[in-house]
CSV table of all heavy atoms in Angstrom, one decimal:
chain,number,residue,atom,x,y,z
A,129,ARG,N,0.8,-1.2,0.0
A,129,ARG,CA,0.0,0.0,0.0
A,129,ARG,C,0.8,1.3,0.0
A,129,ARG,O,0.3,2.4,-0.2
A,129,ARG,CB,-1.0,0.0,1.2
A,129,ARG,CG,-2.1,-1.0,1.0
A,129,ARG,CD,-3.2,-0.9,2.1
A,129,ARG,NE,-2.8,-1.4,3.3
A,129,ARG,CZ,-3.6,-1.5,4.4
A,129,ARG,NH1,-4.8,-1.1,4.3
A,129,ARG,NH2,-3.2,-2.1,5.5
A,130,HIS,N,2.1,1.1,0.2
A,130,HIS,CA,3.0,2.3,0.1
A,130,HIS,C,3.1,2.8,-1.3
A,130,HIS,O,3.2,4.0,-1.6
A,130,HIS,CB,4.4,2.0,0.6
A,130,HIS,CG,5.4,3.1,0.5
A,130,HIS,ND1,5.3,4.2,1.4
A,130,HIS,CD2,6.4,3.4,-0.3
A,130,HIS,CE1,6.3,5.1,1.0
A,130,HIS,NE2,6.9,4.6,0.0
A,131,GLU,N,3.0,1.8,-2.3
A,131,GLU,CA,3.0,2.1,-3.7
A,131,GLU,C,1.7,2.2,-4.3
A,131,GLU,O,1.5,3.0,-5.2
A,131,GLU,CB,3.8,1.0,-4.4
A,131,GLU,CG,5.2,0.8,-3.9
A,131,GLU,CD,6.1,1.9,-4.3
A,131,GLU,OE1,5.8,2.7,-5.2
A,131,GLU,OE2,7.2,2.1,-3.7
A,132,TYR,N,0.7,1.4,-3.8
A,132,TYR,CA,-0.7,1.5,-4.4
A,132,TYR,C,-1.7,1.4,-3.2
A,132,TYR,O,-2.0,0.4,-2.7
A,132,TYR,CB,-0.9,0.3,-5.3
A,132,TYR,CG,-2.2,0.3,-6.0
A,132,TYR,CD1,-2.3,1.1,-7.2
A,132,TYR,CD2,-3.3,-0.3,-5.5
A,132,TYR,CE1,-3.6,1.2,-7.9
A,132,TYR,CE2,-4.6,-0.3,-6.2
A,132,TYR,CZ,-4.7,0.5,-7.4
A,132,TYR,OH,-5.9,0.6,-8.0
A,133,PRO,N,-2.2,2.6,-2.8
A,133,PRO,CA,-3.1,2.7,-1.7
A,133,PRO,C,-4.4,1.9,-1.9
A,133,PRO,O,-5.0,2.0,-3.0
A,133,PRO,CB,-3.4,4.2,-1.6
A,133,PRO,CG,-2.3,4.8,-2.2
A,133,PRO,CD,-1.9,3.9,-3.4
A,134,CYS,N,-4.8,1.1,-1.0
A,134,CYS,CA,-6.0,0.3,-1.1
A,134,CYS,C,-6.3,-0.3,0.3
A,134,CYS,O,-5.6,-0.1,1.2
A,134,CYS,CB,-5.9,-0.8,-2.1
A,134,CYS,SG,-4.7,-2.1,-1.7
A,135,GLU,N,-7.4,-1.0,0.4
A,135,GLU,CA,-7.8,-1.7,1.6
A,135,GLU,C,-8.1,-3.2,1.3
A,135,GLU,O,-8.4,-3.6,0.2
A,135,GLU,CB,-9.1,-1.0,2.2
A,135,GLU,CG,-8.9,0.4,2.5
A,135,GLU,CD,-8.0,0.7,3.7
A,135,GLU,OE1,-7.8,-0.3,4.5
A,135,GLU,OE2,-7.4,1.8,3.8
A,136,ILE,N,-7.9,-4.0,2.4
A,136,ILE,CA,-8.2,-5.4,2.3
A,136,ILE,C,-9.7,-5.6,1.9
A,136,ILE,O,-10.6,-5.0,2.5
A,136,ILE,CB,-7.9,-6.1,3.6
A,136,ILE,CG1,-6.4,-6.1,3.8
A,136,ILE,CG2,-8.4,-7.6,3.5
A,136,ILE,CD1,-5.9,-6.8,5.1
A,137,GLY,N,-10.0,-6.4,0.9
A,137,GLY,CA,-11.3,-6.6,0.4
A,137,GLY,C,-11.7,-5.8,-0.8
A,137,GLY,O,-12.7,-6.1,-1.5
A,138,ASP,N,-10.8,-4.8,-1.1
A,138,ASP,CA,-11.0,-4.0,-2.4
A,138,ASP,C,-10.8,-4.9,-3.6
A,138,ASP,O,-10.2,-6.0,-3.5
A,138,ASP,CB,-10.1,-2.9,-2.4
A,138,ASP,CG,-10.4,-1.7,-1.5
A,138,ASP,OD1,-11.5,-1.8,-0.8
A,138,ASP,OD2,-9.6,-0.8,-1.4
A,139,THR,N,-11.4,-4.5,-4.7
A,139,THR,CA,-11.2,-5.2,-6.0
A,139,THR,C,-10.3,-4.4,-6.9
A,139,THR,O,-10.5,-3.2,-7.0
A,139,THR,CB,-12.6,-5.4,-6.6
A,139,THR,OG1,-13.4,-6.2,-5.8
A,139,THR,CG2,-12.4,-6.2,-8.0
A,140,ILE,N,-9.4,-5.1,-7.5
A,140,ILE,CA,-8.4,-4.4,-8.4
A,140,ILE,C,-8.5,-5.1,-9.8
A,140,ILE,O,-8.5,-6.3,-9.8
A,140,ILE,CB,-7.0,-4.5,-7.9
A,140,ILE,CG1,-6.9,-3.7,-6.5
A,140,ILE,CG2,-6.0,-3.9,-8.9
A,140,ILE,CD1,-5.5,-3.8,-5.9
A,141,GLN,N,-8.7,-4.3,-10.8
A,141,GLN,CA,-8.8,-4.8,-12.1
A,141,GLN,C,-7.4,-4.8,-12.8
A,141,GLN,O,-6.8,-3.8,-13.0
A,141,GLN,CB,-9.8,-4.0,-13.0
A,141,GLN,CG,-10.1,-4.6,-14.3
A,141,GLN,CD,-11.1,-5.8,-14.2
A,141,GLN,OE1,-11.8,-5.9,-13.2
A,141,GLN,NE2,-11.0,-6.7,-15.2
A,142,LEU,N,-6.9,-6.0,-13.1
A,142,LEU,CA,-5.6,-6.1,-13.8
A,142,LEU,C,-5.9,-6.9,-15.1
A,142,LEU,O,-6.2,-8.1,-15.1
A,142,LEU,CB,-4.6,-6.9,-13.0
A,142,LEU,CG,-4.2,-6.3,-11.6
A,142,LEU,CD1,-3.2,-7.2,-10.9
A,142,LEU,CD2,-3.5,-4.9,-11.9
A,143,GLY,N,-5.8,-6.1,-16.2
A,143,GLY,CA,-6.1,-6.7,-17.5
A,143,GLY,C,-7.6,-7.1,-17.6
A,143,GLY,O,-8.5,-6.2,-17.3
A,144,ASN,N,-7.9,-8.3,-17.9
A,144,ASN,CA,-9.3,-8.8,-18.0
A,144,ASN,C,-9.8,-9.4,-16.8
A,144,ASN,O,-10.9,-10.0,-16.8
A,144,ASN,CB,-9.4,-9.7,-19.2
A,144,ASN,CG,-9.1,-9.0,-20.6
A,144,ASN,OD1,-9.4,-7.9,-20.8
A,144,ASN,ND2,-8.4,-9.8,-21.5
A,145,ALA,N,-9.0,-9.5,-15.7
A,145,ALA,CA,-9.4,-10.2,-14.5
A,145,ALA,C,-9.5,-9.3,-13.3
A,145,ALA,O,-8.8,-8.3,-13.2
A,145,ALA,CB,-8.3,-11.3,-14.2
A,146,SER,N,-10.4,-9.6,-12.4
A,146,SER,CA,-10.6,-8.9,-11.2
A,146,SER,C,-9.9,-9.7,-10.0
A,146,SER,O,-10.1,-10.9,-9.9
A,146,SER,CB,-12.1,-8.7,-10.9
A,146,SER,OG,-12.7,-7.9,-11.9
A,147,TYR,N,-9.2,-8.9,-9.2
A,147,TYR,CA,-8.6,-9.5,-8.0
A,147,TYR,C,-9.1,-8.9,-6.7
A,147,TYR,O,-9.3,-7.7,-6.7
A,147,TYR,CB,-7.0,-9.3,-8.1
A,147,TYR,CG,-6.4,-10.1,-9.3
A,147,TYR,CD1,-6.5,-9.5,-10.6
A,147,TYR,CD2,-5.7,-11.3,-9.1
A,147,TYR,CE1,-5.9,-10.2,-11.7
A,147,TYR,CE2,-5.1,-11.9,-10.2
A,147,TYR,CZ,-5.2,-11.4,-11.4
A,147,TYR,OH,-4.6,-12.1,-12.5
A,148,THR,N,-9.2,-9.8,-5.7
A,148,THR,CA,-9.6,-9.3,-4.4
A,148,THR,C,-8.4,-9.1,-3.5
A,148,THR,O,-7.5,-10.1,-3.4
A,148,THR,CB,-10.6,-10.3,-3.7
A,148,THR,OG1,-11.7,-10.4,-4.5
A,148,THR,CG2,-11.0,-9.8,-2.3
A,149,VAL,N,-8.2,-8.0,-2.9
A,149,VAL,CA,-7.1,-7.7,-2.0
A,149,VAL,C,-7.2,-8.6,-0.7
A,149,VAL,O,-8.1,-8.4,0.1
A,149,VAL,CB,-6.9,-6.3,-1.7
A,149,VAL,CG1,-5.8,-6.0,-0.7
A,149,VAL,CG2,-6.8,-5.4,-2.9
A,150,ALA,N,-6.3,-9.6,-0.6
A,150,ALA,CA,-6.4,-10.5,0.6
A,150,ALA,C,-5.4,-10.1,1.6
A,150,ALA,O,-5.5,-10.5,2.8
A,150,ALA,CB,-6.2,-11.9,0.1
A,151,ALA,N,-4.3,-9.4,1.2
A,151,ALA,CA,-3.3,-9.0,2.2
A,151,ALA,C,-2.7,-7.7,1.7
A,151,ALA,O,-2.6,-7.4,0.5
A,151,ALA,CB,-2.2,-10.0,2.3
A,152,ALA,N,-2.4,-6.8,2.7
A,152,ALA,CA,-1.8,-5.5,2.3
A,152,ALA,C,-0.9,-5.0,3.5
A,152,ALA,O,-1.1,-5.3,4.6
A,152,ALA,CB,-2.9,-4.5,2.1
A,153,ASP,N,0.2,-4.3,3.1
A,153,ASP,CA,1.1,-3.8,4.1
A,153,ASP,C,0.5,-2.5,4.7
A,153,ASP,O,-0.5,-2.0,4.2
A,153,ASP,CB,2.4,-3.5,3.4
A,153,ASP,CG,3.1,-4.7,2.9
A,153,ASP,OD1,3.5,-5.5,3.7
A,153,ASP,OD2,3.2,-4.9,1.7
A,154,VAL,N,1.1,-2.1,5.8
A,154,VAL,CA,0.6,-0.9,6.4
A,154,VAL,C,0.7,0.3,5.5
A,154,VAL,O,1.8,0.6,4.9
A,154,VAL,CB,1.4,-0.6,7.7
A,154,VAL,CG1,0.9,0.7,8.4
A,154,VAL,CG2,1.3,-1.8,8.7
A,155,PRO,N,-0.4,1.1,5.3
A,155,PRO,CA,-0.3,2.2,4.4
A,155,PRO,C,0.7,3.3,4.8
A,155,PRO,O,0.8,3.6,6.0
A,155,PRO,CB,-1.8,2.8,4.3
A,155,PRO,CG,-2.3,2.3,5.6
A,155,PRO,CD,-1.7,1.0,5.9
A,156,GLY,N,1.4,3.9,3.9
A,156,GLY,CA,2.3,5.0,4.2
A,156,GLY,C,3.7,4.5,4.7
A,156,GLY,O,4.5,5.3,4.9
A,157,VAL,N,3.8,3.2,4.9
A,157,VAL,CA,5.1,2.7,5.4
A,157,VAL,C,5.8,2.0,4.3
A,157,VAL,O,5.2,1.3,3.5
A,157,VAL,CB,4.9,1.7,6.6
A,157,VAL,CG1,6.2,1.1,7.0
A,157,VAL,CG2,4.2,2.4,7.8
A,158,MET,N,7.1,2.2,4.2
A,158,MET,CA,7.9,1.6,3.1
A,158,MET,C,7.7,0.1,3.1
A,158,MET,O,8.0,-0.5,4.1
A,158,MET,CB,9.4,2.0,3.2
A,158,MET,CG,10.2,1.5,2.1
A,158,MET,SD,9.8,2.2,0.5
A,158,MET,CE,10.4,3.9,0.7
A,159,CYS,N,7.3,-0.4,2.0
A,159,CYS,CA,7.1,-1.9,1.8
A,159,CYS,C,8.4,-2.6,1.9
A,159,CYS,O,9.3,-2.3,1.1
A,159,CYS,CB,6.3,-2.1,0.5
A,159,CYS,SG,5.9,-3.9,0.3
A,160,PRO,N,8.5,-3.6,2.7
A,160,PRO,CA,9.8,-4.4,2.8
A,160,PRO,C,9.9,-5.4,1.6
A,160,PRO,O,11.0,-5.9,1.4
A,160,PRO,CB,9.6,-5.2,4.1
A,160,PRO,CG,8.2,-5.3,4.3
A,160,PRO,CD,7.5,-4.1,3.7
A,161,ARG,N,8.8,-5.6,0.9
A,161,ARG,CA,8.9,-6.6,-0.2
A,161,ARG,C,9.3,-5.9,-1.5
A,161,ARG,O,9.2,-4.7,-1.7
A,161,ARG,CB,7.5,-7.2,-0.4
A,161,ARG,CG,7.1,-8.0,0.8
A,161,ARG,CD,5.8,-8.8,0.5
A,161,ARG,NE,4.6,-7.8,0.4
A,161,ARG,CZ,3.9,-7.6,-0.6
A,161,ARG,NH1,4.1,-8.3,-1.7
A,161,ARG,NH2,2.8,-6.8,-0.6
A,162,ALA,N,9.9,-6.7,-2.4
A,162,ALA,CA,10.4,-6.1,-3.7
A,162,ALA,C,9.4,-5.9,-4.7
A,162,ALA,O,9.6,-5.2,-5.7
A,162,ALA,CB,11.5,-7.0,-4.2
A,163,PHE,N,8.1,-6.4,-4.5
A,163,PHE,CA,7.1,-6.3,-5.5
A,163,PHE,C,5.8,-5.6,-4.9
A,163,PHE,O,5.5,-5.8,-3.8
A,163,PHE,CB,6.7,-7.7,-6.0
A,163,PHE,CG,7.9,-8.4,-6.7
A,163,PHE,CD1,8.7,-9.2,-5.9
A,163,PHE,CD2,8.1,-8.3,-8.0
A,163,PHE,CE1,9.8,-9.9,-6.5
A,163,PHE,CE2,9.2,-9.0,-8.6
A,163,PHE,CZ,10.0,-9.8,-7.8
A,164,VAL,N,5.2,-4.8,-5.8
A,164,VAL,CA,4.0,-4.1,-5.4
A,164,VAL,C,2.8,-5.1,-5.2
A,164,VAL,O,2.1,-5.0,-4.3
A,164,VAL,CB,3.7,-3.0,-6.4
A,164,VAL,CG1,2.4,-2.3,-6.0
A,164,VAL,CG2,4.8,-2.0,-6.5
A,165,PHE,N,2.7,-6.0,-6.2
A,165,PHE,CA,1.6,-6.9,-6.2
A,165,PHE,C,2.1,-8.3,-6.1
A,165,PHE,O,3.2,-8.7,-6.6
A,165,PHE,CB,0.7,-6.8,-7.5
A,165,PHE,CG,0.0,-5.5,-7.7
A,165,PHE,CD1,0.2,-4.8,-8.8
A,165,PHE,CD2,-0.8,-5.1,-6.7
A,165,PHE,CE1,-0.5,-3.6,-9.0
A,165,PHE,CE2,-1.5,-3.9,-6.8
A,165,PHE,CZ,-1.3,-3.1,-8.0
A,166,GLY,N,1.4,-9.2,-5.4
A,166,GLY,CA,1.8,-10.6,-5.3
A,166,GLY,C,0.5,-11.5,-5.4
A,166,GLY,O,-0.5,-11.2,-4.8
A,167,THR,N,0.6,-12.5,-6.2
A,167,THR,CA,-0.5,-13.4,-6.4
A,167,THR,C,0.1,-14.8,-6.6
A,167,THR,O,1.3,-15.0,-6.5
A,167,THR,CB,-1.3,-12.9,-7.6
A,167,THR,OG1,-2.5,-13.8,-7.7
A,167,THR,CG2,-0.6,-13.0,-8.9
A,168,THR,N,-0.8,-15.7,-7.0
A,168,THR,CA,-0.3,-17.1,-7.3
A,168,THR,C,0.1,-17.2,-8.7
A,168,THR,O,-0.2,-16.4,-9.6
A,168,THR,CB,-1.5,-18.1,-7.0
A,168,THR,OG1,-2.5,-17.8,-8.0
A,168,THR,CG2,-2.0,-18.0,-5.6
A,169,TYR,N,0.9,-18.2,-8.9
A,169,TYR,CA,1.5,-18.4,-10.3
A,169,TYR,C,0.3,-18.6,-11.3
A,169,TYR,O,0.4,-18.1,-12.4
A,169,TYR,CB,2.4,-19.7,-10.3
A,169,TYR,CG,2.9,-20.1,-11.6
A,169,TYR,CD1,4.1,-19.5,-12.0
A,169,TYR,CD2,2.3,-21.0,-12.4
A,169,TYR,CE1,4.7,-19.9,-13.3
A,169,TYR,CE2,2.8,-21.4,-13.6
A,169,TYR,CZ,4.0,-20.9,-14.0
A,169,TYR,OH,4.6,-21.2,-15.3
A,170,ALA,N,-0.7,-19.4,-10.9
A,170,ALA,CA,-1.8,-19.7,-11.8
A,170,ALA,C,-2.6,-18.4,-12.2
A,170,ALA,O,-3.2,-18.3,-13.2
A,170,ALA,CB,-2.7,-20.8,-11.2
A,171,ASN,N,-2.7,-17.5,-11.2
A,171,ASN,CA,-3.5,-16.3,-11.4
A,171,ASN,C,-2.7,-15.1,-11.9
A,171,ASN,O,-3.2,-14.0,-11.8
A,171,ASN,CB,-4.2,-16.0,-10.1
A,171,ASN,CG,-5.3,-17.0,-9.7
A,171,ASN,OD1,-5.8,-17.7,-10.6
A,171,ASN,ND2,-5.6,-17.2,-8.5
């Protein structure tokens, strides 16, 4: 959420698919992860 503000439960449209936010870092705090979005390989 430091890079893309949102809330858990929000829906994000990526391409032709809709994704539900299941986990999110604390807003406004530098994200310790190297990637803004994380999902499964299949999705």
Side-chain angles (χ1 to χ4, degrees):
R129 288 191 282 188
H130 178 76
E131 301 290 342
Y132 185 84
C134 65
E135 298 294 335
I136 294 177
D138 286 355
T139 299
I140 298 178
Q141 189 74 24
L142 295 177
N144 298 324
S146 298
Y147 294 80
T148 301
V149 178
D153 297 291
V154 178
V157 176
M158 183 64 72
C159 181
R161 297 184 289 119
F163 299 90
V164 178
F165 296 124
T167 187
T168 62
Y169 177 86
N171 291 332

